[in-house]
């Protein structure tokens, strides 16, 4: 592929091209960022599509700079094609035309010789040491149109179409099983584990991939595997998760257990079709996640005592609320580990089962076959349980069955999507639960968010000045006063330069006191409940966050990012 190092040659060619035709906003990186192989390829394509330079002239420049043979449309059409061994979609997206050279050896024509992924994929199929030649984008597209023809359509010749599709799938499966793709996916998992990521987001763009890791709740871009074909990477992940690689039009979900280094992790895979291909989100579930302790959640001593009082009750309902990604499942799993004793029968219905806890009967919801939360709950009450956990109350039917299970002598744990603890009351009433039943069964509501924890190695502290308060109203909003010590992120190697490492919860626990119960009626107002609960000693999430700021555990910016001052 010409000079070694695709990134270096791409930068050199970008500079060469700018000198030859002049830089423009569409074709030059005027931001000061150094060009990469990916940006150079996008620049070539944008030049061709935008008419900045003729396709043939652009191909001549590429061939001259990289010292590759130039091949025209007539030669491509005359040469024996080798397209049958490749996916149609791959050839068109990568702008690559494989053919047999005059000496009988396999060769490829492509418009961008720095596209290492395309070359590597062709070598996997045709063998190493390929003769690489340069053709224009237009000539490659025309040659592919002539050799591939129209896409196969359904109809009387459906058998032939199926055969072509099978060939495409076999070719894609071969690419996905090749060493470069397997190594690229393994490297992604290793990077995710090293950075303590909870999710891997793989998103296709035009001819490339964007990979981001969710670390401590926020997405962080990482370098894309250089030698992997985008479609092959997605196919490799689908193979690992037991999904159908031939189905690219519908979403798919799956699971797998992969080995990363010396440890094994469970992964949940969700694949979704997008404009430029399929995107995948991989949830990482380390096997040591079952080591749950209430001390690690971040409850203050007073809140932990409230929680344990509610758990000591023989029956009733305890609800954990918060948005998606706020740690509700982890809190519920920790609560279950507290209750998990040989004297108790505990049943759960979850979607999915993220924490495997020995001694508890856990079930996975499968709505496609009728195993919904409501259906599982009906069955649970005939299994003589002491504790029932429902992953989430999503509809009126589930709410009614859960309430009646709590009435008949069971301790019911569940989650709900509400902003505050007090808002859980009107939400359950909206789902059709009668007010008198709610007063009899609801024991406590835990509302929570997750904030990033300041890195212990690099965090800084200083006194808050009047200028700080004037410049940033967040300090006053959260309750800081001039002269107080504040802690701020700095960034070091240990935390990856973010200033944060790990997360902890900020909580508010609403206990159903007699004063609060009197407010539970068909016209319940969460603000009124909230006011009475605060007067009765409830610590709000913003107050809990302030206490954690003063203790140096997190920053004011983090607390305000996830909570609302009220």
């Amino acid at each position: 592929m010409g000079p070694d190092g695709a990134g270096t040659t791409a930068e050199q060619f970008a500079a060469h091209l700018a000198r030859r035709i002049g830089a423009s906003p569409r074709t030059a990186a005027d931001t000061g960022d150094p060009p990469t192989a990916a940006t150079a390829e996008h620049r070539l394509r944008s030049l061709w599509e935008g008419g900045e330079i003729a396709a043939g002239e652009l191909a001549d420049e590429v061939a001259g700079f990289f010292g590759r043979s130039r091949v025209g449309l007539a030669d491509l059409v005359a040469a024996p094609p080798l397209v049958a061994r490749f996916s149609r979609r791959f050839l068109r997206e990568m702008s690559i035309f494989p053919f047999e050279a005059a000496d009988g050896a396999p060769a490829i024509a492509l418009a961008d010789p720095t596209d290492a992924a395309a070359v590597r994929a062709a070598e996997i199929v045709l063998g190493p040491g390929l003769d690489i030649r340069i053709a224009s984008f237009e000539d490659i597209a025309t040659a592919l149109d002539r050799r591939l023809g129209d896409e196969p359509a359904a109809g009387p010749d459906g058998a032939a179409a199926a055969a072509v599709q099978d060939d495409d799938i076999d070719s894609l499966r071969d690419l996905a099983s090749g060493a470069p793709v397997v190594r690229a996916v393994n490297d992604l998992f290793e990077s995710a584990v090293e950075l303590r990521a909870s999710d891997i987001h793989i998103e296709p763009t035009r001819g490339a991939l964007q990979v981001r890791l969710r670390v401590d709740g926020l997405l962080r871009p990482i370098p894309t595997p250089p030698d992997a074909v985008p479609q092959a990477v997605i196919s490799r992940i689908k193979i690992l998760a037991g999904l159908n690689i031939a189905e690219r039009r519908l979403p798919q979900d799956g699971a797998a257990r992969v080995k990363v280094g010396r440890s094994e992790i469970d992964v949940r895979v969700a694949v979704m079709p997008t404009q430029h291909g399929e995107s995948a989100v991989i949830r990482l579930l380390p096997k040591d996640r079952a080591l749950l302790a209430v001390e690690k959640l971040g409850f203050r001593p007073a809140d932990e005592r409230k929680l344990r009082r509610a758990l000591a009750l023989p029956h009733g309902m305890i609800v954990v609320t918060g948005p998606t990604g706020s740690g509700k499942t982890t809190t519920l799993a920790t609560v279950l580990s507290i209750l998990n004793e040989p004297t108790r029968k505990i049943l759960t219905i979850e979607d999915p089962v993220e924490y495997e806890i020995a001694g508890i009967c856990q079930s996975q919801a499968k709505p496609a076959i009728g195993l919904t939360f409501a259906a599982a709950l009906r069955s649970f009450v005939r299994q003589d349980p002491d504790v029932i956990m429902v992953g989430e109350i999503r509809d009126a039917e589930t709410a009614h069955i859960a309430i009646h299970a709590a009435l008949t002598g069971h301790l019911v744990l569940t989650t709900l999507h509400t902003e505050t603890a007090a808002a859980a009351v009107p939400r359950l009433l909206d789902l059709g639960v009668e007010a008198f039943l709610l007063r009899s069964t609801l024991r406590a509501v835990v509302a929570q968010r997750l904030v990033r924890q300041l890195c212990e190695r690099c965090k800084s502290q200083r006194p808050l000045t009047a200028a700080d308060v004037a410049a940033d109203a967040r300090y006053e909003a959260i309750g800081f006063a001039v002269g107080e010590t504040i802690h701020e992120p700095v960034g070091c190697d240990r935390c990856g330069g973010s200033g944060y490492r790990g997360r902890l919860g900020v909580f508010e626990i609403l206990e159903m006191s007699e004063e609060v119960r009197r407010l539970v009626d068909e016209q319940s107002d969460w603000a009124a409940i909230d006011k009475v609960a605060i007067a009765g000693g409830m610590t709000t999430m913003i107050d809990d966050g302030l206490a954690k700021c003063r203790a140096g555990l997190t920053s004011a910016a983090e607390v305000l990012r996830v909570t609302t001052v009220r």
Side-chain angles (χ1 to χ4, degrees):
M1 283 186 58
D4 293 336
T8 302
T9 55
E11 293 179 23
Q12 294 170 350
F13 177 69
H16 165 80
L17 198 61
R19 288 193 299 270
R20 293 282 292 180
I21 68 171
S24 72
R26 286 178 55 84
T27 63
D30 56 357
T31 61
D33 296 331
T36 63
T39 59
E41 189 273 335
H42 292 156
R43 178 169 306 165
L44 287 173
R45 191 174 291 275
S46 67
L47 283 169
W48 163 54
E49 293 176 345
E52 302 275 352
I53 183 173
E57 184 182 349
L58 179 60
D60 291 340
E61 291 290 345
V62 173
F65 180 82
F66 289 98
R68 294 290 183 184
S69 299
R70 177 78 162 84
V71 58
L73 178 60
D75 294 329
L76 290 179
V77 174
L82 299 177
V83 297
R85 300 175 63 182
F86 292 83
S87 160
R88 293 167 174 264
R89 184 176 177 181
F90 167 78
L91 294 175
R92 294 188 189 279
E93 287 186 354
M94 295 296 179
S95 292
I96 182 172
F97 185 84
F99 63 97
E100 186 177 301
D103 60 0
I108 57 171
L110 73 170
D112 176 24
T114 69
D115 191 344
V119 174
R120 176 64 65 184
E123 288 179 339
I124 292 173
V125 177
L126 300 177
L130 286 176
D131 180 8
I132 300 172
R133 304 186 188 183
I134 304 300
S136 70
F137 284 104
E138 287 182 352
D139 289 348
I140 291 174
T142 302
L144 289 174
D145 286 341
R146 294 188 183 182
R147 290 302 187 183
L148 296 177
D150 296 331
E151 296 293 334
D157 56 345
V164 173
Q165 176 71 5
D166 288 344
D167 289 342
D168 287 350
I169 298 306
D170 289 341
S171 175
L172 189 59
R173 185 177 285 109
D174 291 341
L175 287 176
S177 302
V181 175
V182 172
R183 184 166 55 249
V185 173
N186 289 343
D187 289 344
L188 282 181
F189 283 122
E190 290 179 4
S191 298
V193 171
E194 182 180 351
L195 293 172
R196 303 170 296 103
S198 60
D199 303 86
I200 303 173
H201 291 245
I202 303 176
E203 301 152 336
T205 59
R206 186 168 182 173
L209 277 180
Q210 174 179 265
V211 181
R212 296 185 290 175
L213 303 181
R214 189 174 293 280
V215 180
D216 294 336
L218 297 181
L219 288 173
R220 179 186 302 180
I222 64 169
T224 302
D227 297 332
V229 181
Q231 191 175 338
V233 171
I234 297 294
S235 295
R236 173 63 183 169
I237 292 167
K238 290 167 76 173
I239 289 171
L240 286 175
L243 304 180
N244 181 7
I245 68 170
E247 179 55 76
R248 305 168 192 165
R249 302 164 300 170
L250 297 173
Q252 296 187 71
D253 297 321
R257 179 167 292 177
V258 298
K259 188 171 184 180
V260 181
R262 296 182 178 180
S263 62
E264 283 189 338
I265 59 174
D266 290 335
V267 299
R268 307 276 181 186
V269 177
V271 178
M272 170 70 71
T274 66
Q275 181 181 2
H276 296 296
E278 292 176 293
S279 69
V281 177
I282 306 168
R283 169 66 57 89
L284 307 180
L285 305 169
K287 294 202 70 177
D288 62 357
R289 64 190 185 280
L291 303 176
L292 301 165
V294 70
E295 297 80 12
K296 295 182 179 180
L297 296 179
F299 281 107
R300 298 171 70 194
D303 284 340
E304 185 177 338
R305 287 194 294 272
K306 290 180 183 178
L307 179 63
R308 290 187 182 275
R309 272 201 302 270
L311 294 177
L313 298 172
H315 52 78
M317 176 183 284
I318 299 174
V319 179
V320 181
T321 75
T324 300
S326 60
K328 300 188 298 295
T329 302
T330 301
T331 298
L332 274 185
T334 304
V335 166
L336 287 176
S337 68
I338 295 173
L339 297 171
N340 188 17
E341 297 177 354
T343 56
R344 287 193 179 101
K345 170 87 169 185
I346 303 177
L347 300 176
T348 76
I349 178 67
E350 307 168 60
D351 187 17
V353 177
E354 292 192 11
Y355 292 87
E356 296 178 8
I357 306 174
I360 294 178
C361 298
Q362 298 173 265
S363 302
Q364 165 77 52
K366 297 177 182 177
I369 60 172
L371 183 56
T372 61
F373 286 147
L377 273 175
R378 288 194 196 93
S379 176
F380 281 180
V381 295
R382 296 189 290 271
Q383 295 285 318
D384 188 29
D386 298 294
V387 180
I388 296 173
M389 193 272 269
V390 187
E392 182 184 345
I393 291 182
R394 300 174 179 171
D395 51 60
E397 185 182 15
T398 306
H400 277 92
I401 300 173
I403 286 289
H404 283 88
L407 274 174
T408 54
H410 306 93
L411 183 61
V412 178
L413 310 174
T414 189
T415 70
L416 202 61
H417 284 282
T418 61
E419 284 292 315
T420 65
V425 173
R427 174 60 180 149
L428 288 168
L429 293 171
D430 287 342
L431 288 172
V433 177
E434 292 86 349
F436 74 93
L437 292 179
L438 196 56
R439 285 194 295 269
S440 302
T441 56
L442 190 60
R443 299 290 181 258
V445 182
V446 181
Q448 67 178 80
R449 303 289 188 274
L450 290 178
V451 295
R452 291 182 293 171
Q453 192 166 355
L454 287 168
C455 177
E456 288 293 333
R457 181 177 295 179
C458 67
K459 68 180 179 181
S460 66
Q461 65 180 56
R462 63 179 179 84
L464 186 66
T465 65
D468 292 326
V469 174
D472 193 341
R474 294 179 303 180
Y475 294 114
E476 191 173 9
I478 202 173
F480 273 110
V482 173
E484 279 195 74
T485 299
I486 59 171
H487 298 79
E488 298 176 322
V490 177
C492 64
D493 292 339
R494 181 173 180 268
C495 61
S498 67
Y500 298 95
R501 183 178 174 86
R503 290 190 291 176
L504 74 160
V506 290
F507 303 91
E508 63 185 32
I509 300 183
L510 170 66
E511 285 188 300
M512 297 300 291
S513 62
E514 288 302 321
E515 293 79 8
V516 172
R517 281 196 179 90
R518 281 197 289 268
L519 295 175
V520 178
D521 55 39
E522 301 302 335
Q523 287 78 38
S524 286
D525 176 21
W526 75 266
I529 295 174
D530 196 55
K531 185 176 180 180
V532 169
I534 292 172
M538 182 182 80
T539 301
T540 66
M541 282 186 285
I542 200 77
D543 291 334
D544 190 31
L546 176 60
K548 290 179 169 68
C549 289
R550 287 175 170 151
L553 298 175
T554 189
S555 65
E558 269 299 290
V559 173
L560 287 169
R561 182 177 66 85
V562 301
T563 61
T564 302
V565 179
R566 61 181 194 265

